[in-house]
Amino acid sequence: MTAEAVVMNKSAVAMAADSAVTIASGRRGVKTYDTVNKLFELVEGAPVGIMVYDNSELCGMPWETIIKCYRESRSGKCFDRLEDYAEDFLQFIIQDDTMITSENEEFVVLDAAYATLVGVFDYIMKGFEACFTKDEKLVKAKLKRLVNSAIEKALEDADGDEEGPWSDRLPLTKLRTEYSSTVAILLDELFAKFDLNRLQKRRLVDVALNSLRKNEHGLASSGLVVAGFGQNEYFPRMCHTEIGGRVMGTLLSDPLQTRQVTLAEPGHLETFAQDEMAWGFLSGINGKVRHSIIDYWEKWVAASSSEAKASLGEALPSLSEEEVKTISTLFHRAIHGRYRDFLKRMQHEQETQYIEPMWQSVASLPKGELGVLAESLVNLTSLKQRVSIYDAQTVGGEIDVALISRGDGFVWLKRKKQYTAQLG
């Protein structure tokens, strides 16, 4: 995992990223390092930067390599809008077939298939012992029903998942033609002891391949943040997306989300990946604590009507059942109204005491202070994980900070050393 921040006003945009990155792959495990580069100049000489969060690789290829190869191919290139830089970079990934080959794409398919099929495997294993008799003989009819039940559950779960924006470009028939045999090999390895029949195998292959069409980014997904200025832009902009991989030349990515500085909104900041501590500082309350408070009062209000009805019946037995129902209903409405007032007041306090003043401050910060704020937002999470005995250190290492302005372009404010002085 990681923590990153973007802070921008009418003068410039600051980008900050820690150095901890997760290398994740469904079947090959997860590993975290804290010396990785995640913040880069996108095009040499252009006022545009790019950050990567979560997985440091795309289809097994390091993002650093992809970004630097793109930079080499676009040297001196300018675009009118920031979104044009981002879209051109995504097109570069889609069209390249030398760094990201069909073999790389096959790894994406296998990882997605494995993540899906493991859930089916676990479901079967929970009921597997019940498929044996007392003298430990397997009852094949029971096993068949169990496997069919697991497949039905997987299909039901998949029906509830939203399809990704790329799903039209990856119909199931196309995926079957290209990858059925590949997934079938994985299927035979994983379900070897369950003696699946041909129909069950075919249905499981479809379940695995269909997961590629769903808008569910897993551990292997990466986030991209592009910020800076287009050639015809005088206030900074930022856009970001999440990418789950590339399959058959199709990028499994969300649509670009864009934010911009305007005269009406002269300041903006955004944090990415692990940002709970940063938003606790910005909003005045930790997100988990806020959720716990709201959850407690929601349950209290929900239970109040039945509790009031029972208490009234015991305290005032002379009241009719209809009278008790009317009084308890009125009581419920009253406390529910007070609960809504509490939520509005909490939101109002957050906005007026914390969020709005911070936005106003960001709008007027000098360029150098933008970098200080961006770095501090990242450091909050890093520090908390460093001293906490309950958190893994998934955010850490040195924090890289860059400042991008229309006049000065991409400038490093802080950058970790790549080599020692002795090595040159």
Side-chain angles (χ1 to χ4, degrees):
M1 296 297 286
T2 183
E4 296 179 350
V6 171
V7 184
M8 56 186 183
N9 61 20
K10 291 185 289 184
S11 299
V13 53
M15 307 176 76
D18 74 321
S19 299
V21 170
T22 301
I23 296 176
S25 178
R27 294 185 298 157
R28 298 185 292 277
V30 178
K31 182 69 177 177
T32 300
Y33 299 94
D34 64 359
T35 57
V36 182
N37 296 318
K38 297 184 292 180
L39 172 57
F40 308 91
E41 182 180 23
L42 183 59
V43 175
E44 188 174 357
V48 180
I50 184 170
M51 294 192 298
V52 182
Y53 60 90
D54 291 341
N55 196 0
S56 66
E57 297 181 347
L58 176 70
C59 303
M61 181 61 61
W63 274 111
E64 182 170 0
T65 300
I66 296 171
I67 291 168
K68 289 182 176 179
C69 286
Y70 173 81
R71 186 196 299 164
E72 289 176 6
S73 70
R74 298 297 191 273
S75 180
K77 182 76 173 177
C78 294
F79 294 98
D80 291 341
R81 304 178 311 135
L82 180 77
E83 289 92 331
D84 294 336
Y85 282 99
E87 289 167 1
D88 185 67
F89 178 64
L90 295 178
Q91 281 300 313
F92 173 80
I93 298 171
I94 292 170
Q95 295 169 4
D96 176 80
D97 58 2
T98 54
M99 284 188 298
I100 302 175
T101 65
S102 58
E103 184 180 0
N104 294 86
E105 293 180 332
E106 191 171 287
F107 279 126
V108 176
V109 174
L110 287 172
D111 285 342
Y114 179 81
T116 301
L117 294 175
V118 159
V120 179
F121 178 85
D122 290 342
Y123 182 96
I124 296 173
M125 285 302 298
K126 288 177 182 177
F128 190 53
E129 289 186 8
C131 296
F132 289 85
T133 62
K134 291 182 179 179
D135 54 353
E136 297 185 355
K137 289 185 178 179
L138 178 65
V139 181
K140 291 187 176 181
K142 284 187 176 181
L143 178 59
K144 182 178 179 180
R145 286 196 297 272
L146 176 62
V147 172
N148 287 338
S149 175
I151 295 172
E152 291 300 329
K153 185 179 184 305
L155 290 170
E156 184 180 333
D157 292 343
D159 286 341
D161 293 335
E162 180 186 359
E163 289 192 343
W166 58 85
S167 59
D168 290 343
R169 300 189 296 277
L170 285 178
L172 189 56
T173 51
K174 189 176 178 181
L175 291 170
R176 281 194 195 117
T177 302
E178 188 71 21
Y179 298 114
S180 282
S181 57
T182 302
V183 176
I185 295 171
L186 173 63
L187 202 65
D188 290 338
E189 293 176 4
L190 197 56
F191 295 87
K193 65 179 180 180
F194 298 137
D195 193 25
L196 303 181
N197 60 41
R198 186 177 299 176
L199 177 60
Q200 289 171 333
K201 288 181 180 180
R202 187 163 65 245
R203 294 181 76 194
L204 281 173
V205 167
D206 281 356
V207 167
L209 291 176
N210 200 41
S211 68
L212 290 163
R213 305 176 69 251
K214 300 297 180 177
N215 196 16
E216 293 292 323
H217 295 302
L219 276 176
S221 69
S222 305
L224 291 183
V225 183
V226 180
F229 299 78
Q231 189 73 7
N232 293 338
E233 293 169 341
Y234 300 95
F235 292 159
R237 301 165 73 94
M238 176 203 72
C239 52
H240 64 92
T241 185
E242 285 199 14
I243 301 176
R246 196 189 77 178
V247 175
M248 300 180 71
T250 295
L251 210 57
L252 313 184
S253 64
D254 296 330
L256 285 170
Q257 302 292 317
T258 303
R259 293 300 300 260
Q260 63 185 50
V261 169
T262 64
L263 291 174
E265 296 183 14
H268 180 73
L269 66 82
E270 198 153 339
T271 55
F272 299 91
Q274 293 178 277
D275 59 359
E276 180 184 312
M277 290 301 297
W279 275 103
F281 164 74
L282 295 169
S283 64
I285 185 171
N286 179 279
K288 289 183 179 178
V289 174
R290 188 180 195 276
H291 177 76
S292 296
I293 292 171
I294 293 173
D295 185 59
Y296 172 83
W297 286 111
E298 278 182 350
K299 292 177 180 176
W300 186 86
V301 170
S304 64
S305 182
S306 57
E307 290 178 2
K309 188 175 180 180
S311 299
L312 281 169
E314 293 175 4
L316 300 170
S318 61
L319 292 176
S320 67
E321 185 176 338
E322 190 63 32
E323 288 173 327
V324 169
K325 183 179 179 181
T326 300
I327 294 171
S328 61
T329 300
L330 291 172
F331 174 74
H332 177 75
R333 288 175 183 171
I335 62 171
H336 196 268
R338 299 297 292 174
Y339 169 66
R340 288 198 301 269
D341 291 343
F342 164 73
L343 292 181
K344 290 178 183 177
R345 182 58 182 266
M346 182 191 289
Q347 187 66 31
H348 175 75
E349 290 295 321
Q350 277 190 275
E351 290 178 356
T352 58
Q353 300 296 324
Y354 292 92
I355 297 175
E356 288 179 7
M358 178 58 72
W359 253 240
Q360 292 167 7
S361 300
V362 168
S364 59
L365 283 177
K367 288 193 290 187
E369 297 301 317
L370 292 174
V372 172
L373 178 55
E375 180 183 1
S376 299
L377 291 173
V378 173
N379 197 45
L380 281 169
T381 301
S382 177
L383 178 63
K384 193 253 186 180
Q385 291 188 355
R386 181 175 180 177
V387 301
S388 174
I389 61 173
Y390 301 103
D391 296 322
Q393 184 78 40
T394 55
V395 174
E398 296 184 60
I399 299 174
D400 292 330
V401 186
L403 185 71
I404 306 167
S405 63
R406 175 80 191 192
D408 298 324
F410 185 99
V411 178
W412 288 104
L413 297 182
K414 213 178 159 187
R415 191 182 188 188
K416 60 181 168 286
K417 292 181 180 179
Q418 302 296 313
Y419 309 101
T420 64
Q422 290 79 4
L423 294 175

